[in-house]
Amino acid sequence: MTTQTNIVLADDHQIVLDGLQFMLSSEKYLQVVYTSLNTNGVLQYLETSATKVQLLITDINMPTVSGIELCKKVKELYPHIKVLVLSMYSSTEIVKEAILAEADGYMLKDGGKEKLLAAIHKLNNDGTYYSEEIIPIIYNQFSIEKKAALSASNLSDREKEILVLIAKEYSSEQIAEKLFLSIKTVGNHRQNILAKCECKSSVGLVKYAIKSGLITV
Amino acid sequence: MTTQTNIVLADDHQIVLDGLQFMLSSEKYLQVVYTSLNTNGVLQYLETSATKVQLLITDINMPTVSGIELCKKVKELYPHIKVLVLSMYSSTEIVKEAILAEADGYMLKDGGKEKLLAAIHKLNNDGTYYSEEIIPIIYNQFSIEKKAALSASNLSDREKEILVLIAKEYSSEQIAEKLFLSIKTVGNHRQNILAKCECKSSVGLVKYAIKSGLITV
DNA sequence: TAATTAATAGGGAGTACTCCCTATTTTAAT
DNA sequence: ATTAAAATAGGGAGTACTCCCTATTAATTA
């Protein structure tokens, strides 16, 4: 698969732009058609030339409009353009945002030329590329964070049991029936759970239950 | 890192057990110390020999007790043992369950010898291994499913806006203040949203908002 | 043994949410 | 231009939740 790929680069540091361009220059089927130090430049360029662009490689941390926002807009206006998001860090939040913005790929900046070319290759073939480093991040989000949150709150087993039912949309009455308790008891547990989890209402409790892995969305 | 790794295998098909054992036999630092056609056998074996085991490779689809359950129990009783979960399929639910069960690795069965050895190598070094195939799955879960859920409900923009605030733990009063509305209006929107999303209470709405990507947990 | 915590249950009050209505205005669509 | 849908607002009733208390029992811990 060595069809011509026209690429737009966006990064607020000229050095990074130069570096990327240099890394891409070795492959003759990769053609950088536009570079920009800000996101608006990219959008302006695409207004006239979107059809000939196949790939956008953008940094996340950009002044005024972030790479995430740029990604969202580009995917909305020009869905045919693949977006590869570059980031210095691999924080849970950023990775998640990138995924939600429908980025086709996510890559750490310290990847180097080989990884970049591999990413582009995989984007062209499989449609997506997410660097291996982010798996532990997602893993963390699912597992370690959850445990920490859960153990921090000090919920008793009974409280956890009731929290699960709350989060499964049981009313206090239904919980009382199911566990053979008085509604008052359930109410007391609710209060204690709210306090321990530092939540304002059941809405917070659901999110807590999800965060801590007690239930799945 | 070629320290001796003692491995337990679990799969309800003898052929798969044989295949795995064969694949592992080429590396002299990998030693299969026990194989079992069911999960109970593994637990019984570990009761006496857990200390000398470093890795459990288990299929997911096992009669009576699933590989997920086995994984949970093993990680609970013998946290030092790494668990690599094998699965025929790469469904969202299964991957999620594996992660929640604290599997250290997840791998598709069609991976072949090289992938298996690479997985074990990575498990030994980095502590985790998740095959690349599951990223699009998580991606799907985050993105495509969400969009579908959202568009299915037919929420208006205003309703979405209010749903987000509900899910962010705003009370009706706070929403009214923020959007310069009457509490009654907010209440009406709540009802309509509940109906459209087929939820019984705000608890359901939060989960809906998360599922459809309107908010993050 | 004494003290603490968890689980149970209740009283009483206030708040928040849910449901069933009607109704007006604005916007969008046929 | 008529219809339909969305957004607004309200009345009234009932339910559910949240908060502030007290109190008993069982189990755990110091």
Side-chain angles (χ1 to χ4, degrees), chain B residues 138-192:
Chain B
I138 294 169
Y139 175 84
N140 277 348
Q141 192 215 326
F142 271 111
S143 173
I144 297 170
E145 252 180 40
K146 291 187 170 181
K147 279 187 140 177
L150 194 54
S151 61
S153 69
N154 247 24
L155 290 179
S156 71
D157 287 344
R158 193 55 150 176
E159 285 165 345
K160 276 183 216 162
E161 189 180 12
I162 289 173
L163 175 53
V164 167
L165 293 174
I166 292 173
K168 284 185 175 171
E169 223 170 337
Y170 282 63
S171 69
S172 289
E173 195 183 359
Q174 290 171 322
I175 296 172
E177 273 172 30
K178 191 175 174 71
L179 302 182
F180 306 105
L181 293 176
S182 148
I183 298 187
K184 271 298 182 181
T185 305
V186 178
N188 286 336
H189 283 303
R190 285 190 100 112
Q191 280 178 237
N192 296 333

Side-chain angles (χ1 to χ4, degrees), chain A residues 1-15:
Chain A
M1 287 295 167
T2 50
T3 56
Q4 179 74 15
T5 302
N6 292 327
I7 303 174
V8 169
L9 302 178
D11 196 300
D12 56 331
H13 296 291
Q14 186 65 48
I15 298 175

Side-chain angles (χ1 to χ4, degrees), chain B:
Chain B
M1 285 292 170
T2 51
T3 56
Q4 179 74 16
T5 302
N6 292 326
I7 302 174
V8 170
L9 302 179
D11 196 298
D12 57 331
H13 296 291
Q14 187 64 47
I15 298 175
V16 178
L17 285 183
D18 293 347
L20 286 171
Q21 202 151 12
F22 176 74
M23 287 196 255
L24 298 170
S25 63
S26 67
E27 305 294 315
K28 55 188 172 305
Y29 67 97
L30 300 177
Q31 179 74 39
V32 175
V33 293
Y34 185 79
T35 66
S36 176
L37 288 162
N38 54 64
T39 48
N40 289 330
V42 174
L43 289 172
Q44 273 164 34
Y45 173 77
L46 291 179
E47 272 175 27
T48 57
S49 316
T51 49
K52 67 175 174 190
V53 175
Q54 284 87 45
L55 175 63
L56 165 64
I57 301 179
T58 179
D59 181 30
I60 280 197
N61 299 109
M62 307 262 277
T64 63
V65 185
S66 78
I68 297 283
E69 291 305 316
L70 176 63
C71 174
K72 273 188 199 163
K73 277 199 188 119
V74 167
K75 293 306 282 186
E76 185 186 339
L77 298 171
Y78 321 106
H80 72 280
I81 299 180
K82 298 270 177 192
V83 178
L84 174 61
V85 168
L86 296 183
S87 176
M88 203 75 97
Y89 317 101
S90 52
S91 89
T92 310
E93 272 314 304
I94 294 178
V95 171
K96 232 162 142 186
E97 278 180 11
I99 292 174
L100 283 174
E102 297 182 64
D104 302 283
Y106 186 99
M107 199 183 147
L108 293 180
K109 272 190 176 175
D110 54 12
K113 180 178 165 184
E114 285 70 25
K115 279 215 168 180
L116 179 62
L117 295 179
I120 294 173
H121 194 66
K122 190 162 182 309
L123 269 179
N124 277 333
N125 290 323
D126 303 352
T128 59
Y129 171 83
Y130 278 83
S131 71
E132 224 180 278
E133 289 92 341
I134 75 164
I135 305 248
I137 297 163
I138 294 169
Y139 175 84
N140 277 348
Q141 192 215 326
F142 271 111
S143 173
I144 297 170
E145 252 180 40
K146 291 187 170 181
K147 279 187 140 177
L150 194 54
S151 61
S153 69
N154 247 24
L155 290 179
S156 71
D157 287 344
R158 193 55 150 176
E159 285 165 345
K160 276 183 216 162
E161 189 180 12
I162 289 173
L163 175 53
V164 167
L165 293 174
I166 292 173
K168 284 185 175 171
E169 223 170 337
Y170 282 63
S171 69
S172 289
E173 195 183 359
Q174 290 171 322
I175 296 172
E177 273 172 30
K178 191 175 174 71
L179 302 182
F180 306 105
L181 293 176
S182 148
I183 298 187
K184 271 298 182 181
T185 305
V186 178
N188 286 336
H189 283 303
R190 285 190 100 112
Q191 280 178 237
N192 296 333
I193 297 169
L194 280 174
K196 284 189 182 177
C197 301
E198 295 175 13
C199 291
K200 292 197 280 276
S201 72
S202 331
V203 167
L205 293 186
V206 189
K207 296 203 276 185
Y208 181 90
I210 294 167
K211 250 188 285 190
S212 44
L214 289 173
I215 65 156
T216 320
V217 186

